[in-house]
Amino acid sequence: MMHEQFMEEALALAREAASAGEVPVGCVIVRDGQIVGRGRNRREEKQSTASHAEMEAIAQANARLGTWRLEECDLYVTMEPCPMCAGAILNARIPRVWYGARDEAMGACGGVMNLFLEPYPNPPALVGGILEEECREVLREFFRHVRKGTFRPGSGAAPQEREI
């Protein structure tokens, strides 16, 4: 199925993030069956709150397509978007969001609340659980290393521990 293939691409980015010492979340944006944006968490690397995987992928898609409107795109992300990323998705007018693992701590698509159910114009369709176990396992493994003290940071600071 095509959705799993795109989520596999996002998972590869999540694993890249983990190896760089970032919380392992990856994202791809797809238009007409082609990836037009890729992103992974880079908060530690850039010391920037906004450097989430979705934000990085949206910025790349905007640049590649030459528009802030991503109305013909699908977004695939390994973990449920947070409020900031959900807001960016709404503002970019992305019509469909596919995610892997639910985020019970910061999720804004059902984990804590669902911003896409609020009366915003053009809320996206939402599908969760795409390769959910694989997405969750990447996160579990990363935080297992953090808890054991065997975390190998790419930029120095260990991320805050979370239960996934």
Side-chain angles (χ1 to χ4, degrees), residues 139-156:
L139 290 157
R140 278 189 196 121
E141 183 66 18
F142 178 79
F143 287 110
R144 193 174 300 127
H145 284 290
V146 170
R147 284 189 294 279
K148 286 182 179 178
T150 57
F151 174 70
R152 293 176 293 135
S155 62

Side-chain angles (χ1 to χ4, degrees), residues 10 40 84 98 122 140 149:
R40 67 169 178 82
M84 175 181 66
W98 310 82
N122 310 308
R140 278 189 196 121

Side-chain angles (χ1 to χ4, degrees), residues 29 58 61-62 65 67-73 92-95:
I29 296 177
I58 287 169
N62 293 149
L65 298 174
T67 181
W68 63 269
R69 295 174 188 263
L70 301 178
E71 296 166 315
E72 299 174 1
C73 297
R93 299 186 179 163
I94 295 171

Side-chain angles (χ1 to χ4, degrees), residues 16-163:
E16 184 181 308
S19 70
E22 301 280 353
V23 174
V25 178
C27 179
V28 297
I29 296 177
V30 177
R31 185 175 88 174
D32 298 329
Q34 300 295 315
I35 295 175
V36 295
R38 295 175 187 272
R40 67 169 178 82
N41 273 355
R42 294 179 186 273
R43 287 191 315 175
E44 299 297 331
E45 174 188 330
K46 293 184 175 183
Q47 288 300 296
S48 171
T49 303
S51 290
H52 284 200
E54 298 96 323
M55 303 296 280
E56 299 275 319
I58 287 169
Q60 191 178 90
N62 293 149
R64 183 162 291 148
L65 298 174
T67 181
W68 63 269
R69 295 174 188 263
L70 301 178
E71 296 166 315
E72 299 174 1
C73 297
D74 287 7
L75 183 143
Y76 294 82
V77 62
T78 57
M79 189 163 76
E80 174 186 353
C82 73
M84 175 181 66
C85 294
I89 290 163
L90 285 163
N91 279 289
R93 299 186 179 163
I94 295 171
R96 286 167 301 282
V97 173
W98 310 82
Y99 73 87
R102 176 150 292 186
D103 184 354
E104 302 292 337
M106 292 294 292
C109 301
V112 175
M113 65 175 306
N114 191 338
L115 282 177
F116 298 155
L117 292 178
E118 298 302 316
Y120 293 106
N122 310 308
L126 182 64
V127 179
I130 308 297
L131 298 182
E132 180 177 10
E133 193 49 43
E134 293 91 330
C135 293
R136 189 173 307 285
E137 186 54 34
V138 169
L139 290 157
R140 278 189 196 121
E141 183 66 18
F142 178 79
F143 287 110
R144 193 174 300 127
H145 284 290
V146 170
R147 284 189 294 279
K148 286 182 179 178
T150 57
F151 174 70
R152 293 176 293 135
S155 62
Q160 185 178 33
E161 184 176 334
R162 291 175 58 178
E163 194 61 40

